Amino acid sequence: MQSVPATGTPRFANGLQQELAGRDGNEFPTGRASFIVQARSRFVVHAVKDWLKRQLSNPQVVSLALVLFAVWLIITFFAGTLAPVLVAVVLAYLLEGPVAVLQQRTRLPRLFSVTVVWASFCVGSLAALVLLLPMLSRQATQVVQEVPVIIGNIQAYLMTLPEKYPSMVSPKQIEEVMLSAGDYVAQFRQFVLSNSVVVGVGLLYIAVYVVLVPLLMFFLLKDKNSIQAWFRGFLPDDIGLLRRVWGDVDRQLANYVRGKFVEIVIVWVAAFATFMLLGLNYAMLLSALVGFSVLVPYLGALVITAPIAAVAWAQWGTEPQFYYVLIAYGVLQALDGNVLVPLLFSEAVDLHPVAIIVAVLFFGGIWGFWGVFFAIPLATVVNAIINAWPERLRDAVPPPEPVVDDHSATA
């Protein structure tokens, strides 16, 4: 019998060699195949143990794990309390690119670039709120007031189904559907009434956001270097792995955010022009929903189809205009997914569509809406960690396969 070469775990491999050398095939009670399976399983267990020992003894891996654990603690337990700070950090990160470009082109101090970019952002955001918020609020109020009319039209249409399709739908089934829908509507109204009590608190919280977030953004941009140096003092000297991960995340995330902002604007404007051309009611509100739906890959477009179809059906019923709206919306989504997205994100995020869908489902199940909202950035972080890992499992040496002499081939 030939001996098995030692790989990965010398002590275990040597023991396996001795065991193989001291047996022949006739001594295996369950046969050669069973022995090979047992040998492979024992090798995998020892390889995993050795891999864990090597990683836990690597200070770079430990530093990365501690940073990720600290971020997870903050998001999980202090997200509500530190929400203005987290929002300011995200917005400051988005504005860092324009600040760096302006500073490089003008050769002026960083304070000047920060002030110009920050002031432009605040003025632009305020102008957008003043121009768009009243229209969106008015149309949202009109939609809420029209909900009973939409429900009445749906009920009237459902009552005609037993006459059109008597073999498929019965009046009793329609009554059960209408009763269930009535219960859901009652629950929704109760939810609205119960939450209307805290409107004043919500407005006060928005006022806090309006004041605190811009101030925090300004100081985060202005004192970026000193803040980074302060955090750097809590980390060990050797953080090469952490630097590689952050470099990959920073590159992909910056490209993703810029591309996603451009995509939102283009889809919003295209949807608004399309709905206005077709004469659809609440064109601004629905086009805004379509624009922001691109933040949730795949699922966002599917969810927004329901309100668009409901509004179009309440306005035209089953007339051709209803189908024109659905066809136009489908064409818009097809152009976005097959033309616009490849142009904007060809090198932004190197993630497979299956990985994106899994990330949306996984992080959405953990953190709800915000998990869905940040699914792609979080998936980007995971992908960067895998790519930068100093020693990956897929690079491990495969387990040895015992080679048995011909006379031991039978058990």
Side-chain angles (χ1 to χ4, degrees):
M1 180 183 300
Q2 297 180 3
S3 61
V4 179
T7 58
T9 54
R11 181 178 301 176
F12 171 73
N14 293 333
L16 182 59
Q17 289 177 354
Q18 296 174 3
E19 184 174 359
L20 288 173
R23 294 187 179 185
D24 57 27
N26 295 326
E27 296 180 6
F28 300 148
T30 57
R32 174 176 178 271
S34 176
F35 173 75
I36 293 176
V37 171
Q38 294 177 6
R40 284 176 176 270
S41 301
R42 293 172 60 187
F43 182 87
V44 170
V45 171
H46 282 266
V48 171
K49 289 182 179 179
D50 289 346
W51 184 84
L52 290 176
K53 290 179 181 179
R54 290 196 303 271
Q55 303 310 317
L56 293 178
S57 62
N58 189 339
Q60 297 188 37
V61 174
V62 175
S63 300
L64 177 61
L66 291 176
V67 170
L68 294 176
F69 181 69
V71 172
W72 176 80
L73 283 179
I74 293 174
I75 294 177
T76 303
F77 297 102
F78 303 102
T81 306
L82 301 177
V85 179
L86 297 177
V87 172
V89 169
V90 173
L91 294 177
Y93 173 76
L94 299 181
L95 295 182
E96 176 59 30
V99 168
V101 171
L102 182 61
Q103 185 179 7
Q104 183 179 3
R105 292 184 177 180
T106 60
R107 305 292 182 179
L108 293 174
R110 178 177 176 84
L111 180 60
F112 174 81
S113 301
V114 168
T115 303
V116 171
V117 173
W118 175 81
S120 302
F121 175 81
C122 292
V123 171
S125 301
L126 183 61
L129 289 176
V130 172
L131 294 176
L132 298 178
L133 189 59
M135 184 183 300
L136 294 174
S137 177
R138 182 173 63 254
Q139 292 190 2
T141 304
Q142 293 174 354
V143 168
V144 172
Q145 294 175 352
E146 196 176 346
V147 167
V149 178
I150 296 176
I151 295 176
N153 293 336
I154 295 175
Q155 291 177 345
Y157 176 75
L158 292 177
M159 294 301 295
T160 62
L161 292 180
E163 299 178 0
K164 295 180 179 179
Y165 312 100
S167 61
M168 300 177 60
V169 182
S170 65
K172 184 177 180 181
Q173 292 176 337
I174 298 299
E175 292 178 0
E176 293 177 354
V177 171
M178 293 175 62
L179 288 175
S180 301
D183 293 337
Y184 283 119
V185 171
Q187 294 176 5
F188 177 75
R189 290 178 178 176
Q190 183 63 30
F191 173 79
V192 173
L193 291 175
S194 61
N195 285 274
S196 62
V197 179
V198 296
V199 170
V201 178
L203 293 177
L204 179 61
Y205 202 60
I206 291 175
V208 171
Y209 266 80
V210 171
V211 175
L212 286 183
V213 171
L215 289 177
L216 289 171
M217 287 171 52
F218 178 80
F219 288 110
L220 288 172
L221 289 170
K222 171 180 171 292
D223 301 325
K224 170 192 170 184
N225 295 330
S226 58
I227 294 175
Q228 288 182 342
W230 183 78
F231 278 107
R232 181 67 179 82
F234 294 94
L235 299 176
D237 296 332
D238 189 5
I239 56 172
L241 177 61
L242 186 60
R243 290 184 184 276
R244 289 195 300 272
V245 171
W246 173 245
D248 194 8
V249 171
D250 185 37
R251 176 182 57 82
Q252 296 193 36
L253 198 57
N255 294 333
Y256 169 77
V257 170
R258 286 194 294 266
K260 191 59 69 174
F261 176 78
V262 174
E263 184 186 7
I264 290 174
V265 174
I266 294 176
V267 173
W268 188 345
V269 173
F272 177 73
T274 302
F275 294 158
M276 287 293 294
L277 183 63
L278 295 173
L280 182 64
N281 293 335
Y282 319 116
M284 178 58 73
L285 178 62
L286 294 176
S287 61
L289 294 177
V290 173
F292 285 101
S293 69
V294 303
L295 292 173
V296 182
Y298 308 109
L299 300 180
L302 183 62
V303 172
I304 300 302
T305 304
I308 293 175
V311 172
W313 190 83
Q315 184 175 351
W316 292 301
T318 56
E319 295 181 6
Q321 289 84 348
F322 169 75
Y323 300 102
Y324 294 158
V325 170
L326 294 184
I327 293 173
Y329 177 70
V331 171
L332 183 65
Q333 291 296 337
L335 292 175
D336 174 45
N338 296 284
V339 178
L340 186 60
V341 169
L343 289 176
L344 295 176
F345 302 100
S346 59
E347 298 180 357
V349 180
D350 186 18
L351 294 174
H352 193 274
V354 175
I356 294 176
I357 295 176
V358 172
V360 171
L361 297 176
F362 178 76
F363 293 112
I366 296 177
W367 288 309
F369 170 77
W370 293 112
V372 174
F373 187 82
F374 291 105
I376 290 184
L378 292 172
T380 302
V381 173
V382 174
N383 186 50
I385 293 174
I386 295 175
N387 292 333
W389 200 262
E391 190 175 347
R392 290 174 287 187
L393 280 175
R394 65 169 178 263
D395 296 329
V397 179
E401 181 176 353
V403 179
V404 185
D405 293 335
D406 294 337
H407 73 274
S408 60
T410 59

